[in-house]
Amino acid sequence: MPNKPLIHLFIPQLFQPLSVWKKNFQFDIYSHYLTLLLQNFQEVRTSENIGVDVSLFSSIGLSKGKELPIATYRYQGQQFEQPLNHSLICADPVHLAVGMNDITLTDRITDLTIEEARELITLLNGHFNQDGLTFLLGTNQDWYLSFESEGDLSSIPLETVFRKNIASFLIKSKGRNWQVLQNEVQMLLHSAPLNQRREMAGLPTANSLWFWGGGNSEIFSHKAAHVFSDNKIRGEMIAKASECNYQPLSELNGISNFVDYSQGKTIIISEALNSSALNNDLEQYQKELNRLDNDLIKPLLKLWEQGKIKILIDSCDGKTIKPLPRSVWKFWKKSPASLTDLGI
C-alpha cells in the first residue's frame, strides 16, 4: 500500500508518571497491546512542545514559538463567529490561591451553571465595556475576551500553569499592560456575590481569569483529514483548524472504522488517563489504560501489523514515538513486561 494512512494518536499522561510511580510506589503499569506495539520503537521527535494543545497545533504545522490560536478555533468550534476587526483570547475562569510568597493557580472552574457564568460575564462587561473590552461566553467554563487587535501577544497555556506559581507565566504584549487588567479582574471577581455564595458553600471561587491562546487563524501545512476525540471541545477546535469533521472517539467501534481512511492523517485524542495521573490514582490509571488498550490500541495494532496504517504516538510531553517492526535478528531479545520497562 503506497500511501498508508497515518494515525496520529495523542494520549497525554501516557508515560510521564511511570518512572515516578515505579520509584516511589514500586508500582508497574501494564498494557498488553501497547507494549506489543512499542516493543521496538523510534523517537521521531523530542521537542519543547509540552501540553495537549501545543502538541496538537504543532502536529498540523504551527511554527515553533508562535502564539497558539486556541481562542479563534475553540470559539469557532463552539459554533460562534469571531467579532470582526477584533482579536480574541481565552479568558477562562480559574481560582488563584495567595500564599506568603506566591500566587498559585489551583483550579480551573468548571462547575458553574450557564446562568452563573452569564452572571459573572455580565459583571465583567459592565465594568470593562467602557475600555473597549468585551467578554464573551462560549460554555460555562470557556470564556473569551474580544479586544482591538494587537499582534505581539505571548501567553502560556492554562494546563502548563496548573498548580504552579503564576509569576513567571503571565501574558505579555507591547500594546497592553495585562497585569493591570488581571488585577482589576481579580478585584472585581473577589467581591462578586456569586463568589461569596461559593465561598460560603466551601467551593473554590472563580476569583480570576487566565488569559491565553490569542494567536491568529492561519492555513496549516499538515492538516488532518479526520479528528476523533473524547474531549468534544478540543476535538472540534482542532477539526476547525484542519477544516475537517470532528467525531466523538466513542464512534470508533472496531477495525472497520479505521480501514476506510485510505488517505490523509487521522488525529485521535484520548484524555482518559489525565485525571488519574494528575491525582496519583494508580489503580484508576491502570483501569483506564486497560480499557484504552482493548478498545483502541488492539484494533490499531492489528491494522499496523497487517501493514495497512502508520502510527505515531504523542504523549504530549515533548515526545513523539513511532513503533517499528521487531527485527527478525533480535528474536532472542526479551519483550518488555510493562510500559515502565519500555524506557520511554
Side-chain angles (χ1 to χ4, degrees):
M1 186 179 295
N3 294 315
K4 295 180 186 178
L6 170 64
I7 305 296
H8 199 154
L9 183 57
F10 293 84
I11 311 178
Q13 300 295 333
L14 178 58
F15 303 118
Q16 292 94 314
L18 301 187
S19 60
V20 174
W21 288 350
K22 177 72 170 180
K23 179 181 178 181
N24 294 347
F25 308 112
Q26 289 75 54
F27 193 90
D28 268 330
I29 295 293
Y30 294 90
S31 177
H32 178 69
Y33 297 108
L34 187 58
T35 303
L36 283 177
L37 179 64
L38 295 178
Q39 60 185 309
N40 193 25
F41 67 88
Q42 172 190 8
E43 280 192 18
V44 296
R45 183 166 62 246
T46 301
S47 69
E48 297 177 356
N49 296 326
I50 297 176
V52 185
D53 295 312
V54 179
S55 300
L56 283 168
F57 275 98
S58 174
S59 77
I60 64 172
L62 183 70
S63 301
K64 180 180 178 181
K66 291 194 71 172
E67 175 75 1
L68 285 171
I70 303 296
T72 292
Y73 292 110
R74 198 177 76 179
Y75 197 66
Q76 290 178 17
Q78 292 164 344
Q79 309 303 316
F80 299 113
E81 294 293 329
Q82 182 170 336
L84 296 176
N85 302 318
H86 277 68
S87 291
L88 203 64
I89 194 166
C90 300
D92 296 332
V94 298
H95 179 80
L96 301 182
V98 180
M100 291 291 292
N101 301 307
D102 59 13
I103 301 176
T104 303
L105 195 158
T106 60
D107 293 279
R108 182 179 183 188
I109 305 301
T110 61
D111 62 346
L112 297 173
T113 66
I114 200 68
E115 290 77 15
E116 289 172 333
R118 287 197 182 102
E119 179 181 335
L120 292 182
I121 289 285
T122 300
L123 177 68
L124 289 163
N125 282 329
H127 183 85
F128 288 106
N129 275 172
Q130 62 185 359
D131 301 323
L133 304 175
T134 302
F135 289 88
L136 305 169
L137 182 65
T139 70
N140 67 318
Q141 65 187 43
D142 301 314
W143 303 359
Y144 305 89
L145 174 63
S146 172
F147 57 98
E148 289 188 15
S149 299
E150 46 186 73
D152 61 341
L153 282 170
S154 176
S155 71
I156 303 297
L158 177 53
E159 64 177 325
T160 302
V161 192
F162 186 57
R163 296 179 180 172
K164 296 177 183 175
N165 182 0
I166 68 171
S168 58
F169 298 110
L170 296 173
I171 184 174
K172 300 173 184 175
S173 74
K174 294 179 181 178
R176 185 180 303 278
N177 190 328
W178 287 90
Q179 189 165 353
V180 169
L181 173 60
Q182 192 138 30
N183 288 340
E184 283 190 60
V185 166
Q186 286 167 212
M187 287 189 290
L188 187 65
L189 291 178
H190 175 74
S191 59
L194 173 61
N195 276 325
Q196 293 176 5
R197 296 196 300 270
R198 287 180 66 86
E199 189 170 15
M200 290 285 290
L203 298 172
T205 56
N207 63 4
S208 189
L209 304 177
W210 191 253
F211 298 106
W212 69 289
N216 297 319
S217 60
E218 59 180 275
I219 297 174
F220 297 100
S221 56
H222 304 297
K223 292 185 291 189
H226 313 274
V227 174
F228 294 89
S229 177
D230 54 9
N231 181 325
K232 183 174 185 290
I233 291 171
R234 189 166 269 136
E236 289 180 335
M237 174 187 70
I238 205 68
K240 281 291 182 181
S242 287
E243 299 179 300
C244 69
N245 291 326
Y246 154 78
Q247 290 177 260
L249 185 55
S250 59
E251 292 186 5
L252 279 176
N253 295 315
I255 296 174
S256 60
N257 298 85
F258 292 104
V259 175
D260 294 337
Y261 305 142
S262 57
Q263 294 181 354
K265 174 170 71 174
T266 295
I267 285 178
I268 301 176
I269 310 163
S270 173
E271 300 183 32
L273 305 178
N274 266 6
S275 178
S276 53
L278 292 173
N279 293 311
N280 282 320
D281 189 338
L282 285 65
E283 292 185 4
Q284 185 62 32
Y285 185 99
Q286 183 66 74
K287 288 179 183 177
E288 293 292 347
L289 186 58
N290 290 343
R291 183 183 59 78
L292 191 65
D293 203 38
N294 283 286
D295 294 350
L296 182 60
I297 303 300
K298 182 180 179 180
L300 285 175
L301 173 63
K302 185 172 183 179
L303 288 175
W304 179 77
E305 289 178 331
Q306 293 170 346
K308 294 181 178 180
I309 60 171
K310 297 180 290 184
I311 297 178
L312 289 177
I313 298 179
D314 198 316
S315 50
C316 305
D317 61 348
K319 294 178 182 177
T320 306
I321 308 299
K322 177 183 179 182
L324 299 174
R326 191 170 186 183
S327 173
V328 295
W329 301 107
K330 295 184 179 180
F331 64 90
W332 47 266
K333 188 176 180 181
K334 186 178 180 181
S335 298
S338 69
L339 279 189
T340 313
D341 291 339
L342 290 171
I344 297 177

